[in-house]
Amino acid sequence: MYKTIAKLVLTFIASLLFTVAMSGQGKTLKIGVELQGYPTGVIPGLRTDMYFNDASKLHLRIGYNIVRHGDAGEHDDERGGGAGLTIGYDILPFVSHRWTFGIRSDLWFNEIDWYDRGIQLPNVTGTTNVTVFQPTVQAGYRIPFGEEVELLPTVAFGYEFNIKTVGAAVGHGPIMLAGFVLSYEL
């Protein structure tokens, strides 16, 4: 688990250095924090946005997915979490540059502790390590605070695919997320 987190942190730092280098070529760079919530969890993270022009941007996030599936998964109770990385691409429509629409993909490396209540048999517990691929579409509305600070409330819809599971099957399926990004322009 620690090796995975270290790799993700190094990947994020390398990506951030790349975007900083690119911003020296007339591109706008923003860094900030992102928080997303969904019915069975929450995802805090650090984010960077690089604007290619007035109409498009790339964003990267490193975060931690705190999972509380409860009984919405495959077992009576599923809890855990793991580190992950996000990459996304947004467009800012010509009608209003405050709206953003885009696609993003998350990759999470979760460790889920699960529990099944026994009725006639004893209770059963276990731990599952699962790699989750989570593609989503996202919309947001940019709210500037002065020249450099921006708040971006967002909503996203997508699907969680468990692409590698070590242990018993755990929850996956459609997902809806709401959140915000608070960023600062460098």
Side-chain angles (χ1 to χ4, degrees):
M1 178 68 165
Y2 293 110
K3 287 182 182 179
T4 301
I5 292 172
K7 287 178 187 176
L8 290 171
V9 168
L10 290 174
T11 301
F12 183 76
I13 290 170
S15 301
L16 182 59
L17 292 173
F18 173 75
T19 55
V20 168
M22 291 299 291
S23 69
Q25 300 176 12
K27 312 270 191 276
T28 299
L29 178 68
K30 293 185 177 184
I31 59 168
V33 294
E34 181 172 9
L35 182 67
Q36 284 187 305
Y38 57 102
T40 59
V42 65
I43 304 169
L46 300 174
R47 176 170 158 152
T48 182
D49 291 23
M50 185 181 69
Y51 287 74
F52 295 113
N53 52 44
D54 288 341
S56 64
K57 66 177 179 166
L58 174 74
H59 67 264
L60 302 169
R61 171 180 67 177
I62 185 170
Y64 194 85
N65 189 353
I66 302 166
V67 178
R68 298 292 182 263
H69 286 165
D71 63 357
E74 302 289 325
H75 303 277
D76 291 334
D77 189 33
E78 295 181 2
R79 299 170 181 261
L85 187 67
T86 303
I87 185 167
Y89 180 77
D90 298 312
I91 58 169
L92 294 81
F94 65 91
V95 176
S96 169
H97 284 296
R98 291 219 178 178
W99 286 100
T100 66
F101 299 96
I103 57 172
R104 68 190 301 178
S105 292
D106 298 290
L107 193 60
W108 300 108
F109 301 93
N110 294 335
E111 182 176 280
I112 306 296
D113 295 322
W114 53 267
Y115 170 84
D116 284 324
R117 292 170 193 78
I119 296 173
Q120 295 180 356
L121 300 173
N123 295 338
V124 178
T125 62
T127 299
T128 298
N129 290 305
V130 61
T131 303
V132 179
F133 174 63
Q134 181 183 305
T136 56
V137 294
Q138 179 172 286
Y141 187 77
R142 298 167 52 200
I143 304 169
F145 291 96
E147 293 288 320
E148 298 162 338
V149 178
E150 177 181 278
L151 179 67
L152 177 69
T154 62
V155 293
F157 303 94
Y159 200 89
E160 288 185 339
F161 296 95
N162 292 347
I163 58 174
K164 182 179 178 187
T165 303
V166 177
V170 292
H172 60 96
I175 189 167
M176 181 181 92
L177 305 107
F180 68 88
V181 179
L182 183 62
S183 62
Y184 177 80
E185 184 176 328
L186 295 177

